[in-house]
Amino acid sequence: MLAVLGYHLTSLDAQSVIGLALAPVVRLGWAGVDIFFVLSGYLVASIILREATLGEFDGWRFLRRRMLRLWPPLYVSLGVSWLTMPTRDASFILPFVLHAQNFIPGGPQHLWSLAVEEHFYVAAAVLIPLLARRTDPWACACPVLTAVLIAVPLARLMAVWIGTDVEHIYVQTQFRADSLTFGMFVGVASRYRPNLIIRIGSLRRSLLTTALLSFGLAMVMDNPSFSYTLGLVLVDIGATSLLLFALGARTEQPSRLVRMLGWCGVRSYSIYLWHLAIGRTVGAAALLVVPSCGTAAIIVALIAVLAMGQLSFSLLERPTASRRERDPRSGGRVVPAAAR
């Protein structure tokens, strides 16, 4: 999330003090969403496997929880976008209704990743419980997940070779499945081979070095044909290394920085929805007031984005939290914590 914010907000004035200081982040900001995909793959796999192992997984309940979390803030933000359009053409909402905004152009471009997530939720709700029913889920998962990790990068390379637009490669689901699969691999291993995760997580220096080298190489090789093919693999390896690094962290009192990042993480969805429109609008207005101070404009834009994220979280995400925990087929009874 922070990489994406830096990527978009520093475009207000790339030559400002903040713009220059965050230049390395900006160069890799296009890959910020991959870090989110890896984390999402891990979390979703862990949740579904935990529930399926307990015999409490319900695909409809799982998808309902996702819909209640994603849809209210999404469609409010789209409605605001429609109200501010000069022509008020409602057809741009159609791709979002179909969950195909990464295939059909129109609407806020940065929301393509939500379509990838939605496609993943449906596939995960169907396929991961089948894995949990196997006699040896780990032995079954390893070859399947490994095949995906090999096939998807090869598909991206083939797409570049035949002349496919790299922007299509970057946003379409079939070319992004490996990022989610990296996270799923960690989630499956955490469930069925926890000692393996503990051993790998203990190699903290090696994991951090791997992450830095992977991100560094992806940043240095600043070429679209590389960045959107093998470069994405490097970013995924870096993100997976950071995930394993975090899983191996010692339990201790979180620092102020960790608490601040946690606050942003809880509100990251609302921040992501609004950051482009709010950040650029407020930042552009700030530049009109203080045209010679791009740093101030970026800071003001960041504050506005965080404030809007908090507002959206409080008014749209939090009120649906209790509804997400209730099963409508059981008379609104609260779902047990183990099944959430």
Side-chain angles (χ1 to χ4, degrees), residues 52-99:
T53 301
L54 295 172
E56 297 174 339
F57 179 74
D58 184 315
W60 162 245
R61 187 178 65 228
F62 171 81
L63 294 174
R64 177 178 177 270
R65 291 201 305 258
R66 262 77 220 151
M67 289 186 292
L68 284 174
R69 179 174 185 264
L70 297 179
W71 286 2
L74 171 63
Y75 287 112
V76 167
S77 68
L78 291 175
V80 171
S81 297
W82 177 75
L83 289 173
T84 57
M85 290 174 63
T87 59
R88 294 193 179 180
D89 180 7
S91 64
F92 87 96
I93 296 180
L94 180 61
F96 295 90
V97 174
L98 299 174
H99 309 297

Side-chain angles (χ1 to χ4, degrees), residues 3-4 27-36 170 176 215 218 231-232 235:
V4 174
R27 291 189 65 181
L28 200 58
W30 55 268
V33 71
D34 285 77
I35 300 174
F36 170 75
Y170 182 64
R176 305 313 309 273
F215 290 137
L232 291 176
V235 173

